[in-house]
């Protein structure tokens, strides 16, 4: 495949040759990504445009291979990519123009609910402060910081089994304190 030019690779892609497609991608995607990045600083948009471009190449290689144009295969690729980039910019512009509708709370919470929520928060805070520090650390990492058992173990420098045991003890103590 190394001795074939890009036009021949596109012709082979039109015939469904996966190896030719892989070689075409290997040769042209770095160059194409650089050209796209000169026109768009958003790496996610560039990645999407590259994906859409090569999907279009796979689907439409026959239109290039069957044409008797003077243009090069690389120029054909760039034309597809540039058009996909323009489409991406248009999609972004449409999304930014969509007005956002502010959602209003239709009902205010009842005064009793607010008082109870405040009281529960205070009770929970007091119960949390009464926990031994080693239990409180584990509970804060897993519940308040939303870390997994493994992440908590790494953070606190302890085995996962110890984290699980302390988390269970902390929950039992909190349940007892809040009931």
């Amino acid at each position: 495949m190394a001795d074939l030019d890009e036009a021949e690779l596109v012709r082979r892609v039109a015939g469904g040759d996966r190896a030719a497609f892989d070689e075409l991608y290997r040769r042209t995607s770095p160059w194409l990504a650089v050209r796209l990045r000169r026109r768009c600083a958003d790496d996610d948009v560039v990645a999407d445009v590259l994906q859409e471009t090569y999907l279009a190449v796979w689907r439409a290689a026959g239109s290039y291979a069957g044409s008797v144009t003077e243009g090069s295969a690389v120029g054909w690729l760039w034309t597809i990519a540039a058009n996909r980039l323009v489409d991406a910019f248009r999609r972004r512009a449409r999304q930014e123009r969509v007005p956002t509708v502010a959602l209003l709370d239709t009902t205010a919470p009842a005064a009793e609910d607010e008082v109870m929520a405040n009281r529960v928060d205070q009770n929970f805070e007091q119960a949390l402060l009464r926990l031994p520090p080693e239990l409180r650390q584990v509970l804060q990492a897993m519940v308040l910081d939303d870390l997994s058992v493994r992440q908590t173990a790494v953070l606190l420098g302890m085995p996962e089994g110890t984290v699980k045991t302390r988390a269970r003890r902390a929950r039992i103590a909190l349940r007892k304190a809040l009931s």
Side-chain angles (χ1 to χ4, degrees), residues 22-42:
D22 291 344
E23 179 65 18
L24 182 68
Y25 180 83
R26 186 191 64 74
R27 284 187 199 177
T28 59
S29 65
W31 167 83
L32 205 52
V34 167
R35 283 194 76 176
L36 289 168
R37 281 190 191 99
R38 287 182 190 156
R39 287 155 181 81
C40 177
D42 188 340

Side-chain angles (χ1 to χ4, degrees), residues 1 4-28 51-66 73-74 76-77 80:
M1 294 274 170
L4 299 176
D5 67 349
E6 286 79 11
E8 182 58 32
L9 289 173
V10 173
R11 285 186 199 87
R12 288 187 179 203
V13 169
D17 186 345
R18 176 62 192 224
F21 179 80
D22 291 344
E23 179 65 18
L24 182 68
Y25 180 83
R26 186 191 64 74
R27 284 187 199 177
T28 59
Q51 183 176 359
E52 291 173 13
T53 298
Y54 284 99
L55 182 62
V57 167
W58 179 256
R59 290 179 177 165
S63 68
Y64 172 79
V74 175
W76 179 70
L77 271 168
I80 293 171

Side-chain angles (χ1 to χ4, degrees), residues 84-161:
R84 296 298 186 269
L85 185 60
V86 168
D87 292 344
F89 287 150
R90 286 180 183 153
R91 277 193 304 272
R92 181 185 286 176
R94 275 194 304 269
Q95 289 170 351
E96 289 173 358
R97 273 187 277 152
V98 174
T100 57
V101 177
L103 299 176
L104 301 175
D105 290 335
T106 55
T107 58
E112 297 87 11
D113 293 339
E114 287 182 350
V115 168
M116 287 304 294
N118 192 24
R119 186 166 183 210
V120 169
D121 287 345
Q122 289 174 352
N123 289 343
F124 179 75
E125 185 178 349
Q126 291 301 317
L128 192 61
L129 290 173
R130 283 193 296 263
L131 285 177
E134 65 274 3
L135 298 182
R136 187 171 51 243
Q137 282 181 322
V138 170
L139 196 64
Q140 285 175 330
M142 291 182 69
V143 176
L144 301 178
D145 297 335
D146 197 31
L147 298 178
S148 68
V149 171
R150 175 170 286 152
Q151 292 168 330
T152 302
V154 170
L155 176 71
L156 300 176
M158 61 181 68
E160 290 181 33

